[in-house]
Amino acid sequence: MRKIISIANQKGGVGKTTTAINLSASLAVAEKKTLLIDADAQGNASSGMGINHEQIKKNNLYLCLIENRPLSEAIVNTQIPHLDILPANQDLVGVELEFVTLKDREKRLKTLLRGLDSDYDYIVIDCPPSLGFLTVNALVASDYLVVPLQCEYFAMEGLGHLLNTMELIKRQLNPTLYLGGILLTMYDSRNLLSRRVSDDVRGHFGKLVFKTLIPRNVRLSESPSHGLPIVLYDIKSRGAISYMELAEEIINNGRM
């Protein structure tokens, strides 16, 4: 049975897209059939996987959502076996306005996912840095929410609002939605603030925080500019090892 995971945090710059790309790639390396859905109008998950935006003008997530096209028409294979991507571009900006008049607009993505023929073990959704219609659609369609949280000052700013939104969606639209975990990102063991933030978050959320820590890593920062997930760019780097550990933790997580 496939599991649908939304990677979301309305605060930008927390490693959300980096996590979506590299978790998806690491799940695929573990031979789990995986689909990465780019639901952010910036299209960074698409470019970070080497997708040329010019190539997806006629088939992308926006057209599926607005014209009710099958998702299968827009899915693209990647360089990694077992990993596909449903790309996006700036057209998605229009969704926030066009969804206003649509019936059952919060369930649009969920309905489309039901019609997806391909047998995926995991579907990972990269949400935009906001709590608009696209993020709501992703959460309504998902089984789990994973929240990347940077180990920096004001780390938990806005986290309560995101978790309240999740609980509201759970009560009204998706009773099977659960918090899969909080992922600490940009961790630097030499930095006292990083260690304090990690301790504070673990003290507050306990087992809801993943054991895996995603470090600050130059190779991890470089890989998107080459259109490669870290497992292809430098599989021996600390960033690659951490995301493979995260994938293993999720695969073996009884809660998920």
Side-chain angles (χ1 to χ4, degrees):
M1 184 177 179
R2 70 186 180 193
K3 297 177 181 179
I4 304 176
I5 303 170
S6 278
I7 312 294
N9 190 329
Q10 74 270 32
K11 188 175 181 182
V14 300
K16 176 184 60 61
T17 298
T18 297
T19 294
I21 290 172
N22 292 299
L23 171 59
S24 299
S26 297
L27 288 168
V29 167
E31 298 188 348
K32 301 296 182 182
K33 180 67 174 171
T34 305
L35 173 65
L36 170 60
I37 297 179
D38 189 350
D40 187 345
Q42 296 176 81
N44 289 336
S46 301
S47 59
M49 286 298 301
I51 303 299
N52 185 333
H53 285 205
E54 290 297 317
Q55 297 175 335
I56 61 171
K57 284 186 175 180
K58 294 182 180 180
N59 287 299
N60 54 57
L61 179 59
Y62 168 79
L63 294 173
C64 292
L65 289 170
I66 296 301
E67 299 180 5
N68 207 28
R69 295 187 187 182
L71 296 182
S72 57
E73 290 185 2
I75 289 174
V76 178
N77 299 128
T78 73
Q79 301 174 63
I80 300 179
H82 308 299
L83 178 60
D84 298 334
I85 182 170
L86 178 54
N89 58 19
Q90 292 184 344
D91 291 346
L92 268 183
V93 171
V95 163
E96 297 296 327
L97 290 175
E98 295 180 63
F99 264 32
V100 172
T101 59
L102 289 180
K103 183 180 180 182
D104 292 328
R105 55 186 179 269
E106 299 90 353
K107 301 177 181 178
R108 196 80 169 193
L109 180 57
K110 183 175 184 176
T111 301
L112 289 171
L113 282 169
R114 282 179 186 156
L116 194 60
D117 293 330
S118 297
D119 186 19
Y120 292 100
D121 297 305
Y122 290 93
I123 295 175
V124 178
I125 306 174
D126 182 31
C127 298
S130 69
L131 295 178
F133 283 135
L134 285 167
T135 298
V136 170
N137 257 262
L139 293 177
V140 170
S142 294
D143 302 303
Y144 303 100
L145 166 65
V146 168
V147 184
L149 199 69
Q150 82 279 31
C151 293
E152 295 179 355
Y153 196 58
F154 291 139
M156 289 195 282
E157 187 180 59
L159 180 58
H161 188 35
L162 174 59
L163 296 181
N164 286 338
T165 299
M166 187 200 83
E167 288 300 324
L168 184 64
I169 289 172
K170 183 179 175 70
R171 287 197 305 269
Q172 298 187 7
L173 296 165
N174 182 6
T176 61
L177 176 65
Y178 295 94
L179 178 61
I182 295 170
L183 176 66
L184 295 170
T185 63
M186 305 179 191
Y187 180 78
D188 185 348
S189 60
R190 301 165 297 179
N191 186 307
L192 178 60
L193 179 59
S194 278
R195 298 199 301 272
R196 283 182 175 173
V197 169
S198 175
D199 290 344
D200 288 347
V201 173
R202 292 188 189 281
H204 188 77
F205 291 99
K207 292 182 179 180
L208 288 173
V209 183
F210 288 106
K211 293 177 183 178
T212 303
L213 289 163
I214 305 301
R216 283 195 176 277
N217 181 246
V218 173
R219 303 296 276 173
L220 193 57
S221 301
E222 290 174 347
S223 59
S225 65
H226 295 269
L228 296 171
I230 191 62
V231 292
L232 290 184
Y233 185 65
D234 187 351
I235 197 167
K236 295 182 179 179
S237 67
R238 288 170 58 232
I241 292 168
S242 294
Y243 274 110
M244 287 190 286
E245 288 176 348
L246 175 64
E248 183 179 3
E249 190 174 349
I250 285 176
I251 291 168
N252 297 324
N253 192 336
R255 167 175 94 244
M256 296 179 70

